[in-house]
């Protein structure tokens, strides 16, 4: 084994370097041409600025104070009459609040009001008369703050013009090679059984995330959604943050405080579908389903009970692109994680579909309008902020999702390595002795050379009611009674040991980053279940029990401490800028060893056997133990001496002199060494 070429730079090769894509090059070229043509249509030229020409709808539509007057505009091409109603009119129609049709853009309506007509925190909505003569109450599509009355539960738009608008104090943290994401939900982040607020998240949770050595927060459920239990996936008001968590100023303070702590903030953006609600959402906004969505069955997502955007309409593209620009600039966000990309990319939405051939990625089932939108979205985001992070959640494995737009890719910075978590949870159903170590290493390192990815053991998906988190799957019912350090069981000891090992293996072998869902770093027990009729509207499972991690007598504390030190170690040595080099994979012994950057990783997944003087070929020299998952402070047995040194031993293999480390590898442990001489 040769070790002369170190370090190994982690480069991204062109999409066109994949020989298996050669038969589909004409489709990649067609996609590039379609992207360029759509950009030309939206901006006036093939290289036109999307930020200046195609993503400013929110500056024109909606409610704005211009000079001493208020101007409100709405796009509703099929509407016959529109009235602005609210506190200022006792929510009754009046001629002076009737919108007038305007020709630019076609289908637009406008009203200009004296500056004293509206005031901060006034409520308002629209009465829209349809072609059939009926009237519908609607919330403005570009409303920047939507609130729900606590008594009537009715949603209305709210004028948001505080005297003291929040001023950002901290710059966006610089982008780094490693992306360590802490996936979070503000509402369920508190230990009390209630809906948590942005302010509580800022004060109580942000310091925990920073102390845990994560550098990026991914916030779920930020956009306004009528049903709390939807986890934010059924968005109604795209330009409004969810008022159940707080005000726009509260959210700005959260983002700014995170930046002050060195944390970047990306938001989970749901542009894959929209809620069916008509009063709160976009469904039949002007009396027609086709205003924003596809007609017929193509406009309906049967599995999600939602509506699917028509990405072929310029008006829809401008709406969605403006939505991204709004959040980047209004709230100073650092990027987005795009949810449901698979659903967007295919007319079958990926339902009951096994992607087993490249043909699946280039068939007539691909929605190239959606692909074009994603490419334009990424182009826009990076035009506004070149250091922004965009992450695609695509289970299909579509080639090019995280490749450059100019090569026919969709331009995401990263994609979720969804196969990794799938494999871990399949392994949990097998006895340890049946685990395929070579197959595991392959999945941990399996990635396209033209793409970067985010690896993870589990995200929120695995813990939603009906599923189980990794620790729950491993520990079973013992998680309720045997998590004390001195009153435990062999089941919990196994669960704790594997919990640490699988996280280290996933983070260390990942491509460009790592993701963890809030609380899973310390093995949060139980599933996530939002209040609903089936659980008597209980918040018991829609919270995070931080006190478990704070109690040094519990394994939860040990797991949290291991996660913190693990990320600290991996970040300190910047492993994500280097490639992974396999050292040894032994399915019989259950040994996995690899090198990355300046660190050397050794895993013994064997359930019973600890190996003494286990020989693994490495570079000659002196090594020091940096991290041992079996340390007492991590809830282990303390079978290794912390910080000890190891020296390579020369071995003759025929005429070749090899250098090996002779290691003591306790069962179910992982260790990190650093070569120091």
């Amino acid at each position: 084994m040769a070790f002369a070429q170190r370090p190994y730079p982690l480069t991204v090769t062109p999409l066109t370097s994949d020989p298996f894509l050669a038969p589909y090059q004409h489709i990649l070229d067609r996609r590039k041409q379609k992207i360029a043509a759509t950009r030309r249509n939206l901006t006036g030229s093939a290289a036109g600025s999307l930020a200046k020409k195609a993503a400013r709808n929110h500056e024109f539509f909606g409610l704005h104070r211009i000079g001493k007057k208020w101007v409100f505009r709405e796009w509703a091409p099929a509407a016959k009459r529109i009235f602005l109603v609210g506190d200022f009119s006792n929510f009754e129609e009046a001629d002076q609040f009737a919108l007038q049709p305007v020709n630019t853009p076609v289908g637009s309506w406008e009203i200009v009001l004296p500056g004293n007509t509206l005031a901060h925190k006034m409520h308002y909505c629209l009465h829209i008369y349809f072609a059939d003569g009926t009237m519908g109450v609607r919330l403005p599509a570009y409303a920047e703050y939507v609130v729900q009355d606590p008594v009537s539960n009715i949603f209305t738009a709210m004028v948001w013009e505080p005297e003291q608008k929040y001023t950002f104090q901290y710059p966006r943290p610089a982008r780094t090679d490693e992306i360590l994401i802490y996936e979070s939900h503000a509402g369920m982040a508190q230990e009390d059984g209630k809906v948590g607020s942005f302010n509580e998240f800022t004060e109580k949770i942000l310091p925990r995330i920073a102390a845990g050595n994560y550098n990026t927060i991914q916030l779920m459920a930020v956009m306004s959604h009528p049903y709390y239990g939807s986890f934010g996936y059924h968005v109604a008001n795209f330009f409004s943050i969810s008022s159940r968590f707080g005000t726009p100023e509260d959210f700005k303070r959260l983002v700014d405080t995170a930046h002050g702590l060195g944390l970047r903030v990306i938001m989970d953006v749901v542009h894959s579908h929209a809620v069916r609600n008509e009063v709160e959402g976009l469904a039949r906004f002007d009396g027609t389903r086709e205003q924003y969505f596809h007609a017929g069955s193509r406009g309906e997502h049967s599995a999600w009970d939602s509506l699917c955007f028509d990405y072929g309409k310029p008006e829809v593209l401008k709406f969605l692109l403006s939505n991204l620009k709004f959040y980047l600039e209004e709230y100073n966000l650092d990027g987005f994680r795009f949810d449901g990309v698979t659903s967007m990319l295919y007319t079958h939405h990926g339902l009951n579909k096994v992607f087993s051939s490249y043909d699946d990625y280039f068939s007539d089932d691909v929605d190239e309008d959606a692909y074009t939108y994603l490419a334009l979205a990424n182009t826009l985001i990076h035009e506004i902020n070149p250091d922004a992070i965009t992450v695609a959640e695509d289970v299909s494995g579509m080639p090019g999702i995280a490749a450059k737009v100019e090569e026919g890719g969709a331009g995401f910075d990263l994609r979720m390595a969804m196969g990794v978590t799938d494999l871990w949870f399949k392994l949990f159903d097998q006895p340890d002795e049946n685990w395929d170590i070579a197959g595991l290493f392959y999945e941990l390192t399996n990635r396209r050379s033209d793409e970067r990815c985010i690896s993870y053991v589990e995200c929120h998906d695995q813990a939603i009611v009906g599923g189980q988190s990794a620790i729950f799957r491993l520990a079973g019912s013992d998680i309720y009674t045997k998590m004390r350090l001195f009153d435990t069981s062999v089941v919990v000891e196994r669960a704790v040991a594997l919990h640490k090992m699988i996280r280290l293996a996933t983070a260390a072998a990942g491509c460009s980053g790592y993701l963890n869902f809030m609380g899973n770093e310390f093995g949060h027990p139980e599933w996530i279940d939002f209040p609903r009729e089936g659980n008597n509207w209980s918040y018991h499972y829609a919270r995070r029990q931080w006190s478990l991690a704070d109690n040094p007598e519990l394994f939860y504390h040990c797991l949290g401490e291991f996660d913190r030190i693990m990320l600290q170690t991996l970040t300190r040595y910047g492993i994500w800028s280097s490639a992974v080099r396999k050292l040894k994979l032994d399915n019989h012994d259950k040994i996995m060893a690899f090198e990355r950057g300046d660190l050397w990783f050794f895993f013994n997944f064997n359930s019973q056997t600890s190996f003494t003087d286990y020989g693994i070929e490495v570079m000659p020299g002196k090594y020091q133990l940096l991290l041992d998952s079996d340390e007492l402070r991590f809830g282990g047995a303390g079978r290794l001496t912390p910080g000890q040194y190891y020296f390579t031993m020369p071995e003759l293999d025929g005429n070749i002199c090899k250098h090996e480390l002779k290691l003591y590898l306790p069962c179910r442990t992982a260790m990190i060494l650093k070569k120091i001489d």
Side-chain angles (χ1 to χ4, degrees), residues 636-650:
R639 288 169 285 182
L640 295 173
T641 302
Q644 65 181 288
Y645 296 97
Y646 301 84
F647 298 86
T648 56
M649 304 284 291

Side-chain angles (χ1 to χ4, degrees), residues 70 95 274 353 388 399 401 440 515 528 567 598:
W70 289 99
D95 289 342
K353 175 68 179 178
I401 282 296
L440 170 61
L515 176 142
I528 301 166
L567 294 182
D598 293 325

Side-chain angles (χ1 to χ4, degrees), residues 234-443:
H234 278 183
V235 175
N237 316 106
F238 285 79
F239 288 84
S240 172
I241 53 100
S242 177
S243 61
R244 61 172 57 90
F245 307 137
T247 70
E249 309 312 299
D250 295 337
F251 186 51
K252 290 174 184 177
R253 177 171 171 261
L254 186 160
V255 174
D256 195 35
T257 304
H259 286 168
L261 292 169
L263 298 166
R264 308 188 84 202
V265 183
I266 65 175
M267 188 181 85
D268 192 66
V269 65
V270 185
H271 282 181
S272 47
H273 62 129
V275 71
R276 284 180 175 272
N277 298 38
E278 295 183 6
V279 174
E280 297 90 1
L282 299 174
R284 292 188 69 250
F285 186 81
D286 67 354
T288 65
R289 231 278 299 280
E290 296 76 28
Q291 183 182 359
Y292 287 96
F293 310 105
H294 282 291
S297 60
R298 187 174 177 186
E300 300 185 1
H301 198 300
S302 58
W304 294 349
D305 190 30
S306 56
L307 300 179
C308 302
F309 286 106
D310 183 351
Y311 305 102
K313 296 184 72 170
E315 298 86 355
V316 173
L317 292 179
K318 290 180 179 180
F319 175 84
L320 297 174
L321 292 172
S322 298
N323 192 226
L324 299 172
K325 185 173 188 284
F326 171 75
Y327 278 101
L328 285 173
E329 296 183 341
E330 182 71 15
Y331 293 108
N332 214 27
L333 292 179
D334 302 287
F336 303 95
R337 179 258 202 188
F338 280 70
D339 177 72
V341 168
T342 305
S343 177
M344 299 172 70
L345 287 175
Y346 305 94
T347 55
H348 53 61
H349 306 305
L351 299 175
N352 302 314
K353 175 68 179 178
V354 177
F355 295 89
S356 58
S357 165
Y358 270 46
D359 290 340
D360 296 324
Y361 306 126
F362 299 97
S363 70
D364 293 337
D365 294 326
V366 176
D367 186 343
E368 294 198 351
D369 287 334
Y371 191 95
T372 297
Y373 164 66
L374 292 172
L376 294 176
N378 280 292
T379 302
L380 167 73
I381 293 165
H382 293 105
E383 178 186 341
I384 295 171
N385 179 8
D387 288 335
I389 305 167
T390 59
V391 183
E393 186 223 20
D394 170 38
V395 71
S396 76
M398 165 76 80
I401 282 296
K404 295 180 179 179
V405 173
E406 52 265 33
E407 297 171 7
F412 282 96
D413 295 290
L414 305 129
R415 74 182 310 154
M416 302 289 288
M418 302 182 77
V420 173
T421 187
D422 289 343
L423 179 59
W424 281 123
F425 277 76
K426 288 177 182 176
L427 290 178
F428 294 160
D429 293 330
Q430 303 176 23
D432 296 16
E433 55 268 24
N434 292 346
W435 284 20
D436 180 357
I437 301 302
L440 170 61
F441 181 79
Y442 172 80
E443 188 59 54

